[in-house]
Amino acid sequence: MSETVSGFEVHDIRFPTSEQLDGSDAMNPDPDYSAAYVVLRTDTGAEGHGFCFTIGRGNEVVAAAIQALSPYVTGRAAPRTAEDLASLHHDLTHDSQLRWLGPEKGVMHMAAGAVVNAAWDLAAKRAGRPVWEFLSAMSPEELVSLVDFRYLSDALTPDEALAILYAAEPGRAERAALLRAEGYPAYHTSAGWLGYDDAKLVRLAKQAVSDGFTQIKLKVGVDLGDDVRRLGLARAAVGPAVRIAVDANQRWDVAEAVRWMAALAPFEPYWIEEPTSPDDVLGHAAVRAGQPVKVATGEHVANRVVFKQLLQAGAVDFVQIDAARVAGVNENIAILLLAAKYGVPVCPHAGGVGLCELVQHLAMFDFVAVSGSRDGRVIEYVDHLHEHFTDPAVVESGRYRAPGAPGFSARMRPESIAAHRYPDGPVWRARANGRAS
């Protein structure tokens, strides 16, 4: 039976996380975790859900950009196949006038990603599979057809991508079974927000280890003396065997990053994340060469081209994909293939609102059908706001459990949307009234 996308809704959803300093870091001291949220509805009653993650102000800008894409989707046949999803991705990212706003970066590109991800949610639901299984069941040829290879062919050709996928094809079923039985390794960030006091940091770090995590992460970058003290407290709390990554959230220039990490190196940080501008490929390479700690980046990398250059320049030890920063599932497949070509492990960025729910699917697909490995790979986990989703991420004993429900785990509860809609939802009305009084 034919099915058409007949409805397109966009919501500005925000959570007042700044009240408890959840999510606070060196560049973002008071975030309100937010989602520019889109719902695709079909004439048969099916729904696809997607979103962009922001941290408050500007969420309305992303929501407006998503709304501008409605004509490309409304009235279109509901996507079901790789061909449908490749065509939609192409149409959303190749409109010449909208593309001028990037090209292929920034608010318009993120908006395209929200719609693309909603389409994947819809297609996987129609197939009766979670997105990671839906992707993992596709042939190498179908997966390659999803990727836009423009600007990539000097680093990765379609034939090379096919070879990577064919090499991983044996054992797909066994790896999928391992995921269902064992899950996927996670690391914990919720202990390390920069706004937390020392006692809370120590308590949460110990709790994370007790809960089975073998890696935690601390935010750094405002005051070196504070960071030395905090990292010392964390190391004493978790012991020598637990990895502690640190994250500067783009705070430093190159020389400052090198100096700062040389001072923190005695505490054996596992990686330094976003030491400088996400656009500065050569800066990342210089930081990597100038001090002993491994380098990770990616949550703010705008597109597949910058990831390509980071890998070509030998600038990163870990690639951190983000499910909602680039143009959705399709572009993230390109990045996974690039990382596999260069032999660099992918450790996705998550947290925020809904990012854990989304990116677990991409990491699990990578294990089953691309890299074939979980070695050295972990997915970030932040224990906030999962209760607002109908199929929340589940982490047990430091491992993500494989999602079993059809779709992309992206559907937010209707009551959460109603309560947190900005600025007229009751949560925000109450907050405004409190300020007014």
Side-chain angles (χ1 to χ4, degrees), residues 136-226:
S136 299
M138 289 184 177
S139 69
E141 287 80 7
E142 287 176 310
L143 292 170
V144 167
S145 76
L146 294 165
V147 174
D148 183 355
F149 282 92
R150 183 189 291 184
Y151 311 134
L152 297 187
S153 59
D154 57 320
L156 178 73
T157 67
D159 285 344
E160 288 174 319
L162 274 174
I164 290 167
L165 294 166
Y166 270 115
E169 200 170 28
R172 277 191 187 186
E174 291 78 6
R175 289 190 293 275
L178 275 176
L179 277 179
R180 296 186 192 98
E182 300 176 356
Y184 197 105
Y187 75 89
H188 204 289
T189 296
S190 292
W193 302 121
L194 204 57
Y196 289 177
D197 61 34
D198 290 352
K200 188 170 185 178
L201 183 157
V202 169
R203 174 174 58 81
L204 293 177
K206 289 181 177 179
Q207 185 62 53
V209 175
S210 177
D211 290 342
F213 292 92
T214 59
Q215 179 175 329
I216 65 170
K217 188 169 77 180
L218 268 61
K219 301 293 184 172
V220 298
V222 172
D223 182 274
L224 181 55
D226 285 346

Side-chain angles (χ1 to χ4, degrees), residues 78-88 120 123 134 138 142 145-146:
R80 288 178 176 267
T81 66
E83 182 180 2
D84 297 337
L85 291 157
S87 175
L88 176 61
W120 277 92
F134 184 51
M138 289 184 177
E142 287 176 310
S145 76
L146 294 165

Side-chain angles (χ1 to χ4, degrees), residues 88-108:
L88 176 61
H89 177 267
H90 179 276
D91 291 350
L92 292 175
T93 58
H94 282 68
D95 178 282
S96 65
Q97 295 181 6
L98 291 176
R99 187 179 182 276
W100 183 265
L101 301 178
E104 296 185 71
K105 57 181 174 286
V107 167
M108 207 68 239

